[in-house]
Amino acid sequence: MSFLGIYVFVGIDSESTGMTACEEQYYEECNLADLWVQGSGFSLDSLTYVKSVPGMKQAERRLQVDGKAIVRDKTSGEEEVSMQMNFVESNEISKLYLLEGEPYKAGRGGVYLDYFFSEKRGYKVGDTITLKLESTRFDVKVAGIFHNPEYVYYLEDVAAMMPDYGAYGFCFLDESEYPFEEIIYNQIIVDAEKIDNTAQVSDTEKEIQSQLAAQIKDVLDDQSIVVTGKDDQLSYQTYRSEMAQHKSMAFAFPIVFVLISLLGIITTMTRLMAKQRVQIGTMKALGFSTADVVMHYISYGFVLSLAGCVLGAVVGYYTLPDFIISMFVGSYILPYMHKGLSLMSLSMIAMMVSVSTLITFVACRKECALIPAQALRPAAPKVMKTSFVERSRVWKLLSFSTQWNLRDIIRNKMRTLMGIVGVVGCSMLLFSAFGCLDSIDHITTWMYGELNTAKNRIVLAEDIDYGTASDYAKQYGGQMIQSVAISLSPDEGVSSGISAGSASMGTSASTGSSASMGTSASTGSSASMGGGVISKTGTLTVLDRGNFMHYEDADMEHITLDKNEIAMTYKMAESLGVKEGSLVCWHVLGDDKIHKFRVGQIYRNPSVQGITMYREPYEKLNYKFVPTEILTNMTVPSSLADKDEIIGVQNTNAMMDSLKSMMEMMYTMAGILIAAAIILGVVVLYNLGVLSMVEKRREMATLKVLGYATSGVRAILAQQNTWITLIGIVLGFPAGFGILGVLFNDMPESMDYSIVVYPKTYLYTFVLTFLISWAVNRVMSREVKFIDMVEALKGQE
């Protein structure tokens, strides 16, 4: 039992400890940025102003833009794939982790390709690759292959559920490779003095981020820029949430094993001391003192528990972490992944050995305190008082077997409790394993069967004109949708100079005219976005006419969005601390107009967090509707992606296939939990069964003397086992829900996954737990046949 408990604890804890250390080391080596300042254009003066802010260590400009790579394809000759390009003038912040090639140097040409893209597409250092920005192609020599700390987790677009590294890519280029005359930088990345890359972003560091964000906006005299911290960056946030889940698992699951292991040790030592009664009496009769005998048995418990813990720690450290880490190789991009031993594991070993030793002392103290004459004689039967249940009228209405089992349960409460706890642990693990699979399976059908019912998605280029997009929509009978990057903040972040009007969404501050969708203010007016607050970035989804997008509220009930209101995702509302009817401010990244609106509805979306509105009110805010995608149920030829105005064509089935890696991972984890649950159930219930047979040996012999056949006695034992199993299973269901809650509460802000448990999970959990309990009881009750009735019934001599 010591081996099993420590094996699971050290295995899972070592994985989360090692992977967290890998991340922190990687971020430190590459000096991950602390703040990202995003706007429409930053001059050299802008960079100087940002560097002048107190608390700044370093700052750099860069242009981050989505383009394409023209890659070699064996069938079609060439293929255009998405490529996010970063044009930089220096690289001291979020530095490249170079795998091949020459280190980056300002002014030196060439392109640095991410490892997975170069590996899948067959590019090596020295090759030439053709890149495409807007409609301009340019050839660049591959200068290096790299990883980057900002791309530990990277999705092609916000609608993607799982990464498919190599199918798209990202690269870094010196500003000299920019194919146009003038480069306009849209980002400044910042390295702050009092913010490090170890552990999570603390409350103190968040306060520093908030203060720096306000100061940056002030020195640039532009309240429309967006300043985000590491917690708002998808890569950092997703990996941190993953590690938080693993730490939760490292606490929740192993603690269950450790606690139940301790119960097993209690039963084992209690049974051992009962069987060693004569040996104890013999040793004391031979002159051994009580202290000598106690130390003998304490050393027995100490050595065995220590050996089990050490062996469990060694085997757990060298097997389980490597297995878990191997499942995350394709999900996260890290230059190194390894396990690590934490002080928590060592503390748990010390605690397990100490508690086991203490349990041994408590178990042997009473027996060792007996004088030799008492210890050499069989233990006298316990003197039991008649319980309230036995004195009630109902008692006489019960069958003999029911009365016998109730009396045994009442008189052996601790053994019964341990049996229930063992069954609870088994059913809890089974329930959480099957529940995880149900929840992940639901995400697939929810995303691509309920919320988005289109079979194909045509992704449009940024520079496409509306007429061309409209023609494609008519040709394929599709619904046009525009996705825009925005920044949001609660109303407290905006000065009171703008007030919501009597209309549902406010009035225009700049013109005073009625506007159904929000208040607008130009930069320099009394409105200011998030004075001391780092705003949340999200996506504004603008809907044209069509019926491919559907929505559900927080309770997963279907709703129809009001065409005159703005709706917000549940996860974004939770992050901002707002509810339906609350006032929230938003603005398009790079735009100087700030809008205040009242949240009309809240809906759920598993992958895209932000707000949604219809096209008409969007255009009333003086924005031009420029579709970024078209949803359609018609067949779309893959050759359409070769056109300049089309980035790609995505099929729903293909997107669902991208979730298979997640499902495979979950099936593996579920398999581990199911195996652990079976082992736990068998070991605990077997130990309790052995203890029960020892304690009830006299009673069972009495039943056989009174005429009960072996099968009848076994039936009585099976009845009590059934009661305990049923109680344990019923209590295991809510305990399993609690485990699922721990896992799903650590999801990143960009993901909104809900716990869904299908009826089959209850059935599988019930059947498997019951089969385990029945099988163990079946094996143990066979001992009834071999009871020596004379030895069991003889009294004290």
Side-chain angles (χ1 to χ4, degrees):
M1 295 303 293
S2 297
F3 170 86
L4 181 62
I6 295 300
Y7 171 81
V8 176
F9 187 93
V10 171
I12 299 181
D13 180 64
S14 297
E15 180 271 332
S16 62
T17 298
M19 292 294 282
T20 300
C22 288
E23 175 208 28
E24 293 177 356
Q25 180 183 346
Y26 183 34
Y27 289 161
E28 278 294 313
E29 286 182 15
C30 297
N31 191 26
L32 176 66
D34 297 317
L35 294 173
W36 286 260
V37 184
Q38 303 177 67
S40 56
F42 296 110
S43 64
L44 194 57
D45 288 339
S46 301
L47 181 63
T48 303
Y49 293 148
V50 171
K51 288 182 176 179
S52 68
V53 173
M56 292 294 179
K57 187 185 296 184
Q58 209 169 11
E60 296 177 355
R61 291 187 301 172
R62 73 181 180 192
L63 170 63
Q64 188 175 88
V65 61
D66 292 327
K68 290 185 178 181
I70 314 299
V71 300
R72 300 182 291 265
D73 185 83
K74 293 181 180 179
T75 55
S76 60
E78 64 178 34
E79 177 188 0
E80 294 187 359
V81 298
S82 299
M83 175 67 70
Q84 187 172 84
M85 304 178 190
N86 295 274
F87 292 92
V88 300
E89 52 185 358
S90 59
N91 186 230
E92 295 302 318
I93 306 174
S94 294
K95 293 186 289 188
L96 304 182
Y97 186 93
L98 198 65
L99 301 173
E100 297 179 35
E102 299 179 354
Y104 170 81
K105 183 178 180 181
R108 179 184 293 167
V111 59
Y112 291 81
L113 297 178
D114 82 86
Y115 170 78
F116 282 100
F117 180 85
S118 61
E119 184 75 10
K120 184 171 184 177
R121 303 295 177 173
Y123 286 99
K124 299 180 180 179
V125 174
D127 291 349
T128 299
I129 184 173
T130 301
L131 301 178
K132 182 179 178 181
L133 193 56
E134 297 179 3
S135 58
T136 301
R137 293 188 177 202
F138 58 103
D139 294 331
V140 191
K141 184 179 178 181
V142 178
I145 309 299
F146 74 99
H147 291 315
N148 186 270
E150 291 186 24
Y151 292 89
V152 171
Y153 181 85
Y154 175 52
L155 298 175
E156 182 177 10
D157 57 55
V158 292
M161 295 286 290
M162 284 291 291
D164 185 11
Y165 302 127
Y168 50 89
F170 55 92
C171 64
F172 278 70
L173 307 96
D174 186 75
E175 61 179 349
S176 61
E177 295 288 0
Y178 190 62
F180 305 109
E181 291 185 5
E182 183 182 2
I183 183 169
I184 301 176
Y185 295 96
N186 59 9
Q187 285 187 1
I188 295 179
I189 55 177
V190 171
D191 180 20
E193 289 181 353
K194 296 183 179 180
I195 302 176
D196 59 35
N197 289 309
T198 59
Q200 295 188 0
V201 181
S202 64
D203 292 337
T204 301
E205 289 175 328
K206 288 179 181 179
E207 182 62 29
I208 294 173
Q209 288 179 348
S210 179
Q211 294 171 358
L212 291 176
Q215 290 176 305
I216 290 172
K217 291 182 179 183
D218 288 340
V219 299
L220 295 179
D221 193 23
D222 186 353
Q223 299 300 322
S224 69
I225 63 173
V226 176
V227 184
T228 56
K230 286 183 286 196
D231 276 348
D232 296 302
Q233 208 229 6
L234 176 64
S235 172
Y236 184 90
Q237 177 194 106
T238 304
Y239 189 84
R240 280 292 179 181
S241 297
E242 182 78 54
M243 288 302 100
Q245 282 184 312
H246 289 207
K247 288 185 181 297
S248 297
M249 289 178 62
F251 178 79
F253 292 138
I255 287 298
V256 171
F257 275 87
V258 169
L259 291 177
I260 295 179
S261 295
L262 291 176
L263 291 178
I265 292 170
I266 292 174
T267 60
T268 300
M269 295 310 302
T270 302
R271 184 177 76 246
L272 175 67
M273 297 313 301
K275 296 181 71 174
Q276 291 277 309
R277 183 181 177 93
V278 175
Q279 286 86 337
I280 292 172
T282 302
M283 283 191 290
K284 297 196 73 174
L286 292 173
F288 287 91
S289 67
T290 299
D292 292 334
V293 177
V294 169
M295 286 303 299
H296 167 72
Y297 285 102
I298 287 179
S299 63
Y300 177 82
F302 173 80
V303 171
L304 285 184
S305 61
L306 180 62
C309 288
V310 171
L311 183 61
V314 172
V315 176
Y317 181 80
Y318 284 105
T319 58
L320 198 53
D322 293 333
F323 178 71
I324 298 175
I325 290 173
S326 67
M327 294 188 294
F328 294 97
V329 171
S331 299
Y332 298 100
I333 307 173
L334 288 168
Y336 32 74
M337 294 184 180
H338 57 72
K339 53 187 176 286
L341 193 62
S342 71
L343 290 176
M344 184 64 72
S345 294
L346 299 177
S347 300
M348 186 57 66
I349 293 174
M351 187 206 76
M352 179 72 97
V353 173
S354 300
V355 173
S356 299
T357 305
L358 178 62
I359 290 171
T360 305
F361 170 73
V362 172
C364 73
R365 183 185 57 178
K366 184 178 179 181
E367 299 289 344
C368 294
L370 297 174
I371 61 175
Q374 291 176 315
L376 289 170
R377 299 163 67 184
K382 294 180 181 179
V383 179
M384 297 294 182
K385 296 181 180 179
T386 304
S387 65
F388 169 76
V389 177
E390 295 173 82
R391 295 195 299 269
S392 66
R393 295 181 179 180
V394 179
W395 183 259
K396 295 181 180 181
L397 302 177
L398 302 177
S399 65
F400 173 77
S401 60
T402 303
Q403 290 178 342
W404 192 89
N405 281 313
L406 283 175
R407 183 181 290 115
D408 184 64
I409 289 173
I410 293 170
R411 295 179 179 180
N412 296 279
K413 299 181 182 65
M414 182 55 67
R415 189 185 70 226
T416 302
L417 177 62
M418 288 189 290
I420 292 174
V421 171
V423 176
V424 168
C426 179
S427 61
M428 176 189 69
L429 293 177
L430 290 173
F431 187 88
S432 58
F434 291 123
C436 280
L437 296 180
D438 288 347
S439 300
I440 298 300
D441 180 63
H442 173 261
I443 292 168
T444 306
T445 56
W446 183 37
M447 182 69 181
Y448 299 115
E450 298 178 18
L451 302 183
N452 185 345
T453 56
K455 294 181 180 178
N456 291 288
R457 175 172 174 252
I458 304 173
V459 184
L460 307 175
E462 291 184 3
D463 57 349
I464 191 171
D465 62 89
Y466 175 77
T468 304
S470 181
D471 290 341
Y472 279 118
K474 291 176 182 178
Q475 179 181 352
Y476 293 102
Q479 179 182 9
M480 293 187 292
I481 293 176
Q482 180 179 3
S483 296
V484 184
I486 60 171
S487 174
L488 301 103
S489 67
D491 185 36
E492 305 88 76
V494 179
S495 63
S496 58
I498 300 177
S499 60
S502 57
S504 62
M505 299 310 296
T507 57
S508 171
S510 57
T511 63
S513 61
S514 175
S516 63
M517 291 309 297
T519 52
S520 304
S522 300
T523 301
S525 70
S526 57
S528 65
M529 273 297 271
V533 179
I534 296 180
S535 305
K536 295 291 182 182
T537 54
T539 301
L540 164 62
T541 304
V542 185
L543 304 176
D544 197 15
R545 291 185 299 273
N547 59 352
F548 292 112
M549 295 295 293
H550 307 275
Y551 296 88
E552 296 178 0
D553 61 16
D555 298 321
M556 312 291 285
E557 298 292 334
H558 177 75
I559 59 173
T560 300
L561 296 188
D562 192 318
K563 293 189 176 182
N564 295 315
E565 289 186 331
I566 291 181
M568 177 177 284
T569 60
Y570 173 80
K571 212 60 181 294
M572 180 61 72
E574 192 177 54
S575 299
L576 296 176
V578 300
K579 301 178 181 178
E580 286 188 10
S582 299
L583 290 173
V584 178
C585 300
W586 66 273
H587 76 87
V588 176
L589 298 189
D591 189 10
D592 61 358
K593 289 187 294 184
I594 299 172
H595 310 282
K596 181 189 291 186
F597 71 96
R598 195 175 300 279
V599 179
Q601 294 168 288
I602 291 179
Y603 66 95
R604 302 193 72 163
N605 190 292
S607 61
V608 181
Q609 307 307 321
I611 59 177
T612 295
M613 68 171 73
Y614 279 89
R615 173 180 174 179
E616 291 77 9
Y618 177 71
E619 291 179 329
K620 287 183 180 179
L621 294 175
N622 297 320
Y623 287 116
K624 184 180 179 181
F625 179 70
V626 182
T628 55
E629 61 185 273
I630 298 172
L631 302 180
T632 177
N633 270 339
M634 295 179 65
T635 301
V636 181
S638 57
S639 59
L640 191 68
D642 296 334
K643 297 183 178 294
D644 291 341
E645 63 270 15
I646 305 297
I647 292 180
V649 176
Q650 297 176 349
N651 181 268
T652 299
N653 292 331
M655 289 187 283
M656 292 177 71
D657 288 341
S658 69
L659 292 174
K660 285 185 178 180
S661 58
M662 180 190 292
M663 291 297 293
E664 291 173 0
M665 187 187 307
M666 291 307 301
Y667 276 120
T668 303
M669 293 299 294
I672 293 174
L673 290 179
I674 291 171
I678 293 174
I679 294 172
L680 177 69
V682 170
V683 172
V684 172
L685 293 177
Y686 177 82
N687 272 340
L688 290 172
V690 172
L691 177 62
S692 178
M693 294 299 294
V694 171
E695 292 181 346
K696 291 189 287 192
R697 193 176 187 84
R698 185 183 183 88
E699 288 85 348
M700 289 184 290
T702 302
L703 290 175
K704 295 186 72 174
V705 169
L706 293 175
Y708 273 83
T710 299
S711 59
V713 178
R714 293 179 70 180
I716 293 175
L717 296 177
Q719 183 184 50
Q720 183 178 144
N721 183 73
T722 300
W723 294 351
I724 293 174
T725 302
L726 290 176
I727 295 172
I729 292 174
V730 171
L731 295 178
F733 289 153
F737 261 112
I739 293 292
L740 289 174
V742 170
L743 296 178
F744 280 80
N745 282 340
D746 289 320
M747 285 291 179
E749 292 181 354
S750 60
M751 299 179 183
D752 184 10
Y753 293 176
S754 57
I755 299 174
V756 175
V757 179
Y758 297 143
K760 65 181 182 181
T761 289
Y762 291 92
L763 178 63
Y764 292 163
T765 302
F766 180 87
V767 171
L768 272 176
T769 306
F770 203 88
L771 283 176
I772 293 169
S773 179
W774 174 84
V776 173
N777 179 74
R778 186 77 178 169
V779 171
M780 294 306 305
S781 63
R782 293 174 59 184
E783 296 296 321
V784 174
K785 182 179 180 180
F786 304 104
I787 292 177
D788 186 335
M789 289 180 285
V790 174
E791 181 183 349
L793 290 172
K794 67 179 181 180
Q796 296 189 25
E797 299 173 356

